[in-house]
Amino acid sequence: MKTPLIRQTWTMSAVLINMFAQGIMLSYPTSLLPALNQHDSPIKTDLNTSSWLGSILAVSSIPGFLLSSVFMDLYGRKITHAVAILPGIAGWLLIYFAEDVKTLMIGRFLGGLTSSGTVSLGAIVVGEYTSPKYRGVFLYLKNATVCIGAMLVHILSQYLHWRTIALVALVPLFVALIIIYTWPESPAWLASTHQHEQSEKVFYWLRGYNEDARKEFQAMIEAEEAKLLKLTSKVKCSERIKDFFRKFRRRDFLKPFMIMVLATSVLEMSGRHVFPSYALQIMTAITGETTHSFYYALGIDIMITASALIALFLVKIMTRRTLLFSTGFAAVVILMLVSLYLFLISKGLIANGKMWISIALLISYFFLANFGCAPIPLALVGEVFPLAHRGVGSALSGIWISICLMAALKSTPHLMVNLGIHGLFAVNSSVMGISLFILYFILPETKDRTLQEIEYYFNHGKFPNAENEDTEANIKMIPD
């Protein structure tokens, strides 16, 4: 049993190292923007330019998601993952040599192509390369490594120049690229291209040969053959286009996509990407001073990373739904309390002498948010879409993620200026609460389920081989 786990761990190490690199890319504005705002900086920025430097990752996310989704279906997961890393390498080199804002923008744009191109692809790789009992841990490790990368930037920004940090950021990308070179191709993609013999060889190399693995592989091949029978007559371009639009009437596409729309809203409003990018600005707005903002931000970084690591154990003993909704609704309540407390301070209704209260509440919030709201939405990308829709589903989910990411990163500086930090938290907690409430009624439990079982659920409203009504998926689903 150890050999398959070691092989899966080695393969997933490239995804995790790359996610660590994306944590650096995401948090880089924390190092870059304060330096550019210094009076002696050779490159000058204003509020609008700074917000674009922080949010341009989201602009490049749309082509990044689309290209990654198209390439992974055409050329496979391995080649696509390797190619997607190259723009990030070029982007960091441009940032290092940048002499003006335009070059910095281009470098950040290229970095966004890599971030978006690998985030959903990484989730799909985890889903296809790992066995169901390890999948949750690896998906949660993706979140933890992003947190560690973000924390590293906040620490390095106190000791290294932003150009030097750009060089440091190249190291994990090159390491990930080398490991990807040793990968086999995804058995699911090999099956989709009718390379069944090679698919079987890789599948058992990754999973080991046992009864559960045999059943999972057989179910994957049968699902692929059933799809092939439906597509044999659809060879014309016009038929392919019609087949694309037919997806929007299919139960097994619409429901996963709706889940991803709501889950992404939870992800972005939880501050998963906003806080690393604007950590110092947010802490300055809360505390009202800059002297100790770094230490407050670093303390919260440590707590976020610790919570992401603790979540690795929680995901083994709790179901996805229990973990998401118990911690998610609790996080919403705490964020509302933070917003209310800061609002009362801003109106002079309570004294501003106990900043530790808001910081303690914020730490509690990030602990809870990183148990479920941050990791689970990205994990769902690699789980809920059937193989037939995985490319299109990840592309459209990526576009929505890009829109939410751009809205969050671009609006945050302006919301803090116009509504105050309490207004920002009020908006975030409201959207999170509404999205979680709807998700409660449509999200099935995916823990320890194979991808084929999850696909069956979205087609039939229950999991296969249910022995009684209690074991069926009796979670409420929206009507067809």
Side-chain angles (χ1 to χ4, degrees):
M1 289 298 294
K2 290 184 178 180
T3 300
L5 177 58
I6 291 173
R7 288 170 178 168
Q8 291 175 46
T9 302
W10 169 255
T11 307
M12 291 305 99
S13 66
V15 175
L16 301 179
I17 292 170
N18 180 60
M19 288 299 102
F20 171 78
Q22 302 323 311
I24 296 176
M25 174 63 72
L26 179 66
S27 298
Y28 190 61
T30 301
S31 172
L32 178 64
L33 298 182
L36 296 184
N37 290 328
Q38 296 294 322
H39 69 278
D40 58 346
S41 172
I43 303 176
K44 302 295 182 182
T45 61
D46 54 22
L47 176 62
N48 187 55
T49 304
S50 296
S51 68
W52 275 114
L53 279 171
S55 63
I56 197 169
L57 289 182
V59 177
S60 59
S61 292
I62 295 178
F65 278 118
L66 289 175
L67 291 173
S68 174
S69 300
V70 172
F71 286 178
M72 73 176 182
D73 278 349
L74 291 177
Y75 304 110
R77 290 22 170 176
K78 175 180 177 178
I79 293 177
T80 302
H81 208 292
V83 171
I85 288 177
L86 299 180
I89 294 174
W92 282 120
L93 291 173
L94 281 176
I95 290 172
Y96 176 77
F97 291 107
E99 298 295 337
D100 52 42
V101 172
K102 182 179 179 180
T103 307
L104 288 174
M105 288 283 191
I106 295 173
R108 293 279 294 164
F109 183 91
L110 291 173
L113 289 177
T114 291
S115 295
S116 58
T118 57
V119 65
S120 59
L121 178 58
I124 288 172
V125 165
V126 172
E128 293 181 350
Y129 280 70
T130 62
S131 59
K133 65 179 179 180
Y134 302 133
R135 187 172 66 227
V137 172
F138 283 120
L139 288 170
Y140 265 67
L141 273 172
K142 282 176 76 260
N143 179 59
T145 52
V146 172
C147 295
I148 294 171
M151 182 173 63
L152 178 65
V153 171
H154 294 158
I155 295 173
L156 293 180
S157 64
Q158 296 298 303
Y159 305 102
L160 299 179
H161 192 274
W162 56 269
R163 295 187 191 273
T164 307
I165 294 176
L167 288 182
V168 172
L170 287 170
V171 176
L173 291 178
F174 278 114
V175 173
L177 201 58
I178 293 171
I179 296 175
I180 290 171
Y181 178 77
T182 69
W183 280 8
E185 185 48 79
S186 161
W189 183 81
L190 290 170
S192 71
T193 55
H194 320 304
Q195 302 178 59
H196 291 176
E197 184 176 337
Q198 183 64 16
S199 174
E200 182 177 16
K201 179 180 178 181
V202 173
F203 187 90
Y204 290 129
W205 182 83
L206 285 167
R207 307 290 185 84
Y209 191 87
N210 55 58
E211 186 62 20
D212 289 339
R214 189 192 65 77
K215 289 180 179 179
E216 184 179 353
F217 178 76
Q218 188 61 36
M220 181 178 70
I221 295 299
E222 289 175 357
E224 188 56 37
E225 289 176 346
K227 185 188 76 171
L228 180 62
L229 289 175
K230 295 179 181 179
L231 297 177
T232 50
S233 62
K234 299 175 183 178
V235 294
K236 296 181 180 179
C237 181
S238 60
E239 286 296 321
R240 292 179 183 272
I241 294 174
K242 290 179 182 179
D243 182 60
F244 172 80
F245 285 104
R246 288 192 190 105
K247 292 180 185 293
F248 294 91
R249 300 199 303 268
R250 290 176 59 97
R251 177 190 181 113
D252 62 343
F253 177 82
L254 280 178
K255 290 181 178 178
F257 182 65
M258 183 178 293
I259 287 171
M260 284 309 307
V261 167
L262 294 167
T264 300
S265 300
V266 173
L267 170 69
E268 294 305 335
M269 291 301 101
S270 72
R272 177 66 191 83
H273 297 124
V274 166
F275 185 78
S277 298
Y278 300 108
L280 295 182
Q281 294 92 324
I282 289 174
M283 295 311 300
T284 298
I286 291 175
T287 62
E289 52 88 18
T290 59
T291 307
H292 299 100
S293 294
F294 162 72
Y295 299 102
Y296 293 135
L298 179 60
I300 291 181
D301 274 336
I302 294 172
M303 296 301 175
I304 290 174
T305 303
S307 65
L309 294 173
I310 293 171
L312 293 174
F313 298 97
L314 293 179
V315 74
K316 293 296 291 182
I317 62 176
M318 298 174 67
T319 65
R320 301 270 204 280
R321 281 179 55 87
T322 301
L323 188 56
L324 174 62
F325 295 118
S326 62
T327 61
F329 284 120
V332 169
V333 172
I334 291 178
L335 192 59
M336 286 180 174
L337 290 176
V338 176
S339 175
L340 177 61
Y341 183 75
L342 294 174
F343 173 76
L344 294 175
I345 290 177
S346 69
K347 297 301 180 182
L349 298 176
I350 59 176
N352 187 18
K354 297 180 179 179
M355 70 176 68
W356 64 267
I357 295 178
S358 54
I359 293 175
L361 286 172
L362 201 60
I363 289 174
S364 301
Y365 165 76
F366 279 116
F367 245 103
L368 291 168
N370 275 277
F371 286 156
C373 295
I376 289 180
L378 289 177
L380 292 174
V381 177
E383 291 184 327
V384 297
F385 286 108
L387 183 58
H389 307 314
R390 205 160 291 161
V392 174
S394 64
L396 294 179
S397 298
I399 292 174
W400 177 247
I401 290 172
S402 301
I403 292 172
C404 291
L405 179 61
M406 182 165 57
L409 293 178
K410 189 74 174 69
S411 65
T412 293
H414 297 282
L415 286 173
M416 286 195 293
V417 170
N418 295 296
L419 297 182
I421 191 67
H422 60 274
L424 172 67
F425 290 162
V427 171
N428 287 6
S429 59
S430 299
V431 176
M432 277 181 65
I434 293 171
S435 299
L436 282 169
F437 178 78
I438 300 173
L439 270 177
Y440 180 82
F441 295 97
I442 66 173
L443 179 66
E445 180 54 61
T446 61
K447 182 181 179 181
D448 296 334
R449 294 287 183 179
T450 68
L451 299 183
Q452 283 65 47
E453 288 174 334
I454 297 171
E455 179 175 343
Y456 185 95
Y457 176 86
F458 284 113
N459 277 313
H460 303 283
K462 63 180 181 180
F463 289 111
N465 303 322
E467 296 179 359
N468 54 57
E469 292 298 320
D470 291 333
T471 59
E472 292 185 359
N474 54 12
I475 300 166
K476 297 179 182 178
M477 298 293 290
I478 58 173
D480 292 329

